[in-house]
Each structure stands twice: as structure tokens, then as C-alpha cells.
């Protein structure tokens, strides 16, 4: 029964020898299964009536499998969606300064928990304290794994066994499993909802304050907006309640901006320093949203409360590593020096002038050929910041004619993958969120997909 062509296939050993010659450096543990897979696939094809492959073809197939297997599953992507902050694309891109700090401090040893002057054990929490106090105006500050961890920790340390008052309009889901009622329950506190979905007043909070009240929690509705007949008390009104009743006011800002977003033509997003100055006892913010840094949860506020958090075992469980501290310090240094617009990618992107964006979008449209135009569209902030808010941009728009999903998929199949935005049957590519060094890669892929040959010359 043996097909002579099956017997003519090389042995795994023979293929391995050829593979090692063609792709030296591939570890045996990767090469051996790749060779076995290539031969098994060839057998299946022969049985299906196809001709036997040449040895070179088997080597090429095995080399492709091996390179796939050794490639990191976490890859760089080109974000041409025009959405600046997306959790599924890793939120804020880091600044060169931040990456340099991570490279410098990651490669060797650091004084992470070493007091160099005294030669004694130090605290990792010390490093970011001074700059966070300076930038936010808070008495003290602490950094943990992320903002979700910061809120959960604060509730558990300060409100466990007691009541936490939250407006009905703020008992929300932020996304990715962060639901305020669940977070409060997990922390061992009881949620007391006050007001209504659309309107809550300071008097609603006041009426709910009792012996069991441990905190008032204010949550910034990051990724949605209630419009029309709405009311929420101001920070000042809630701070007055805190003064009068001695109940800590916890302010979950989410995005945690340090600059006025109105400077970039966006609506004003509350800043950490406004919240601190406005009387919040503790303010919580993400490191990787509008702060433009690494994933982290920043807690800024009253010294006595921050000290309680720092001393709690959860501070150990939720602590950040040296790379995060290095990255956060470098990001914050850009703000301290007033250089955020030049150095921090999200602010730099938001500051890009329109004429340059238009030229870049035009080059892509030329590469994409017929059916592509340059149109005005909004670059969106995204990432649970400023819902449906954006700044005007010029984008390449390719009419999908029913094929828009296929075109977006073909762009994702590029190396590195190119992520576009699909809106009303049109594929949009926004140069604002693309590093200019990647423009050629995008153009080349568009040309490939359109069949338009490259123009002569440069
Ligand atoms: C994004 C967000 C969080 C969660 O922050 P992470 O850093 O992702 O953990 C919590 N609260 C609000 C209001 C948010 O916008």
C-alpha cells in the first residue's frame, strides 16, 4: 500500500540537518516539531493526490513554522484608528525619555529599596512621592498596580464593614470588569446608593450619612455621558459635607489628567490637582490614560489616609515594580519641566498641526488608489476618557463597497499589523496616531492591496 512518493520523503533527521543549515540558531526544541509538522503536512498532501514536495520546500515550510513559534506573541501594531487611548492596544504609548529610563534602570541594579546614604533598607514608595506631591499639590501620594487596585484598596482599608455612599448616576461599569457596585462589595463595604440615575443633590448624600458611613465615593463617568435633565453636586459641595461630617471623600477620576485638556481643543477633563485643591481626601487616577505613562494607580491626598494605605498589607500585594517606578518618574519629569507637549506622545499627537496631517493622509490616499480620498474626521481620545470627544484631523477614507471588513482585515494581516477604523462602510486611516516613521509601511501596504505600482524616484 505504501505510496513510493511517501517513502521518498526525507526522514525527520534529514530534514532537521537541512533546516539547521538554512536556519542556524533555531533551538532543537523548536526545530524538531517544525520538521515533524512539515513532513506530516507533506504526507497528507501526497495522500490527497498532490505531488511530493522538494526538500527545499519542506525546509521553507519548517523554517516558517519555527519562526512563527519563536516570535513573541506580544507584537507592535500600527494604530491608524485615530483613537489615542485604547486598552486593547496598550493605552498610552510611552515617551522616549520614559523608555530610556526603563532601559537604564532595568538593565542593572537600582536603589529600589535601598537608602544609599545610610546603607539601610529604604522604601520603594519613596521615589515617586516628592514629584507627585509637587505636581498634584497633595500632602502625600502612593502608587499601586493600577487604578482599579487603588480604588479597591482604599475602600477595603478605609470602609470595610461600613457603608460607602455613591450617587446612583455613578454606580457604573467603567469597562473591563470594573463595576462600582462589585468593587464596593469585594472590598467588604456596603454600597448606599443615593439620588437618581440622572439627578443627585448634595442633600441626598447628607441624608444618607450615618454612624456606619465610612466614605463618600465620587466616580468620574469616564466612558459615557448623561445629557439633558441632569445634576450632580460639585466637588466643593461634597467637600463641605466632608468638613461637616468628617467622612472621607474619595474621588475616582479614572483618566487623571495633569494638564488642561482645553489647551488641545478638547473639553476640560478634571485634573488631579483640581480635585486635591477642591477638597477630595483621596484622588485616584490611572497612569496609562491621559497621564501618558505606564500602567499604574496613583493615589494622592491627605497624609494621614495615604499613610494608612501605605502601612496596609495590600500595599505590598499591589506594589509596582522598578520598571513602573522608573517609567512613571520619567513621565512625571516631563510635566515638572513643562515639556509634556514635546515629550509625551499623546500630547504631541494632540498638538500635531492640521496641514502636516493632511499631507500624510494624502500620501496614503495616493498609495491606496481609486476609491480613496482625504476627508476631515475626528481623532478620538478613547480609553475611558472624554467619551465621543476628539480633535479635528485629516484622514484617508477608503470606500469599502461592502468589502470594508475584508480591507480592515487585510491591513491587520500586515507585519506589523495596521489597525484602521471602520465607520459607515468606510475604512479610515488617521495619521495622528501613527508615528511618522511608520508612514512608509502604511503606504506600502495600501499600495500592495490596491495594486497601484510605486511611483518612480524617491
Ligand atoms: C479607567 C478607570 C478605572 C480603572 O483604571 P485602571 O488603571 O484601568 O485600573 C477606574 N475608574 C475610572 C473612573 C476609570 O475611568
Amino acid at each position: 500500500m505504501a505510496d513510493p512518493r511517501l517513502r521518498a520523503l526525507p526522514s525527520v533527521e534529514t530534514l532537521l540537518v537541512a533546516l539547521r543549515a538554512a536556519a542556524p540558531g533555531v533551538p532543537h526544541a523548536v526545530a524538531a516539531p517544525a520538521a515533524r509538522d512539515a513532513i506530516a503536512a507533506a504526507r497528507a498532501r501526497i495522500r490527497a493526490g498532490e505531488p511530493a514536495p522538494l526538500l527545499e520546500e519542506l525546509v521553507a515550510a519548517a523554517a516558517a513554522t519555527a519562526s512563527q513559534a519563536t516570535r513573541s506573541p506580544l507584537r507592535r501594531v500600527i494604530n491608524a484608528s485615530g483613537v489615542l487611548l485604547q486598552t486593547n492596544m496598550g493605552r498610552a504609548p510611552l515617551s522616549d525619555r520614559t523608555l530610556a529610563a526603563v532601559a537604564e534602570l532595568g538593565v542593572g541594579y537600582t536603589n529600589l529599596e535601598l537608602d544609599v546614604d545610610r546603607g539601610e533598607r529604604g522604601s520603594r514608595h519613596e521615589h515617586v512621592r516628592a514629584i507627585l506631591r509637587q505636581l498634584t499639590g497633595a500632602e502625600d501620594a502612593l502608587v499601586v498596580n493600577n487604578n482599579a487596585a487603588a480604588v479597591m484598596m482604599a475602600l477595603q482599608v478605609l470602609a470595610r464593614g461600613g457603608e460607602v455612599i455613591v450617587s446612583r448616576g455613578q454606580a457604573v461599569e467603567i469597562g473591563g470588569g470594573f463595576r462600582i457596585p462589585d468593587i464596593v462589595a469585594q472590598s467588604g463595604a456596603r454600597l448606599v446608593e443615593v439620588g437618581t440615575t440622572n439627578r443627585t443633590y448634595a442633600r441626598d448624600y447628607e441624608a444618607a450619612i450615618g454612624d456606619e458611613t465610612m466614605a463618600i465615593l465620587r466616580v468620574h463617568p469616564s466612558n459615557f455621558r448623561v445629557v439633558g435633565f441632569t445634576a450632580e453636586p460639585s466637588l466643593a459641595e461634597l467637600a463641605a459635607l466632608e468638613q461637616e461630617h468628617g467622612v472621607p471623600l474619595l474621588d475616582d477620576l479614572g483618566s487623571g489628567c495633569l494638564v488642561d485638556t482645553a489647551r488641545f481643543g478638547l473639553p476640560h477633563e478634571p485634573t488631579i490637582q483640581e480635585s486635591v485643591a477642591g477638597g477630595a481626601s483621596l484622588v485616584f487616577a490611572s497612569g496609562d490614560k491621559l497621564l501618558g505613562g505606564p500602567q499604574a494607580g496613583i493615589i494622592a491626598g491627605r497624609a494621614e489616609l495615604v499613610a494608612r494605605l501605605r502601612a496596609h498589607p495590600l500595599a505590598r500585594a499591589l506594589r509596582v515594580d522598578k520598571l513602573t517606578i522608573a517609567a512613571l518618574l520619567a513621565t512625571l519629569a516631563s510635566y515638572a519641566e513643562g515639556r509634556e507637549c514635546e515629550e509625551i506622545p499623546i500630547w504631541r499627537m494632540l498638538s500635531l498641526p492640521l496641514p502636516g496631517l493632511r499631507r500624510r493622509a494624502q500620501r496614503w490616499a495616493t498609495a491606496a488608489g481609486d476609491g480613496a480620498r482625504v476627508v476631515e474626521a475626528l481623532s478620538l481620545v478613547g480609553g475611558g476618557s472624554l467619551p465621543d470627544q476628539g480633535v479635528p484631523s485629516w484622514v484617508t477614507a477608503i470606500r469599502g463597497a461592502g468589502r470594508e471588513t475584508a480591507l480592515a482585515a487585510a491591513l491587520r494581516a500586515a507585519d506589523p499589523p495596521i489597525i484602521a477604523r471602520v465607520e459607515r462602510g468606510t475604512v479610515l486611516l488617521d495619521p495622528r496616531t501613527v508615528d511618522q516613521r511608520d508612514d512608509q509601511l502604511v503606504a506600502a501596504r495600501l499600495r500592495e492591496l490596491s495594486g497601484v505600482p510605486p511611483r518612480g524616484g524617491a
Side-chain angles (χ1 to χ4, degrees), residues 132 136 253 256-258 270-277 283 285 291 298 300:
L132 277 174
T136 66
L253 284 185
C257 209
L258 283 171
T271 67
I272 305 176
Q273 54 276 35
E274 279 164 6
S275 209
V276 167
V283 184
L291 207 91
I298 292 167

Side-chain angles (χ1 to χ4, degrees), residues 81 113 116 127 135 143 152 174 182 185 202 216 236 261 289 298 325 334 345 385 395 402 414 426 429 448:
S81 71
E113 293 195 352
V116 176
H127 305 286
L135 289 170
V143 174
M152 192 130 172
I174 301 294
D182 296 345
I216 291 174
T261 43
K289 290 184 181 172
I298 292 167
I325 295 174
S334 295
S385 318
V395 308
T426 305
L429 295 156
E448 216 173 278

